[in-house]
């Protein structure tokens, strides 16, 4: 498979991973368990940040990979590396607050993000001037 197509698949898997990550937290509600947060509601800024990380950046990464030249591939590589760092740090939160169901999702998301970052850097390096 062409490397650019692989990067697009990795971005899509990132979006699906974050959806699954959120769904895993909500699934206990199907069995009558309360999933209401004990902490006060998060700020609008935090919600905007999470939507940026889980949807906007991956979509921009897909568009840059599909239609971009050298500069766009550079931006994509930066976004992919940022996403890899974010995913690894987010997975590290499991140490602080352990939730076994996330052990199925978060490590795979981290691996996908790291592979995506490596492939994005390779594509950028291979792109002709």
């Amino acid at each position: 498979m062409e490397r650019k197509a692989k990067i697009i698949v990795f971005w899509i898997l990132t979006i699906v991973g974050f959806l699954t990550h959120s769904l895993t937290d909500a699934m206990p509600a199907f069995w009558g368990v309360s999933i209401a947060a004990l902490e006060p509601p998060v700020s609008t800024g935090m919600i905007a940040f999470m939507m940026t990380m889980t949807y906007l950046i991956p979509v921009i990464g897909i568009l840059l990979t599909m239609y971009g030249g050298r500069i766009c591939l550079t931006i994509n590589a930066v976004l992919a590396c940022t996403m890899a760092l974010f995913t690894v740090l987010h997975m590290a939160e499991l140490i602080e607050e352990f939730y076994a169901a996330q052990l199925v999702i978060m490590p795979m998301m981290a691996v996908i993000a790291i592979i995506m970052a490596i492939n994005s850097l390779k594509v950028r390096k291979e792109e002709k001037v």
Side-chain angles (χ1 to χ4, degrees), residues 2 6 8 13 15 17 19 22 27 47 49 58 66 68-69 80 84 93 103 105 113 117 119 122:
E2 184 186 336
K6 286 181 183 180
I8 291 169
L13 289 173
I15 293 170
L19 288 170
S22 297
M27 285 184 87
I47 293 170
F49 172 75
M66 286 173 54
E93 290 177 358
L103 283 178
I105 300 161
N119 276 284
K122 286 180 180 178

Side-chain angles (χ1 to χ4, degrees), residues 31-50:
W31 292 278
V33 176
S34 174
I35 59 169
L38 299 176
E39 299 140 15
V42 297
S43 67
T44 304
M46 179 56 95
I47 293 170
F49 172 75
M50 290 308 297

Side-chain angles (χ1 to χ4, degrees), residues 1-2 36 38 40 60 66 89-90 106 108 110-111 117-118 126:
M1 185 186 302
E2 184 186 336
L38 299 176
I60 291 171
M66 286 173 54
L89 292 175
H90 188 55
M106 293 307 297
M108 183 56 74
V111 168
I118 291 168
E126 292 169 356

Side-chain angles (χ1 to χ4, degrees), residues 20-99:
T20 306
H21 173 60
S22 297
L23 180 62
T24 301
D25 287 337
M27 285 184 87
F30 291 104
W31 292 278
V33 176
S34 174
I35 59 169
L38 299 176
E39 299 140 15
V42 297
S43 67
T44 304
M46 179 56 95
I47 293 170
F49 172 75
M50 290 308 297
M51 290 302 101
T52 298
M53 294 304 291
T54 61
Y55 180 74
L56 186 61
I57 287 178
V59 169
I60 291 171
I62 290 169
L63 293 174
L64 290 171
T65 303
M66 286 173 54
Y67 300 113
R70 191 171 174 94
I71 293 172
C72 290
L73 291 175
T74 301
I75 296 168
N76 175 68
V78 169
L79 291 176
C81 290
T82 302
M83 186 60 67
L85 180 63
F86 174 77
T87 306
V88 168
L89 292 175
H90 188 55
M91 183 181 71
E93 290 177 358
L94 286 174
I95 295 169
E96 185 178 309
E97 187 176 334
F98 183 74
Y99 184 44

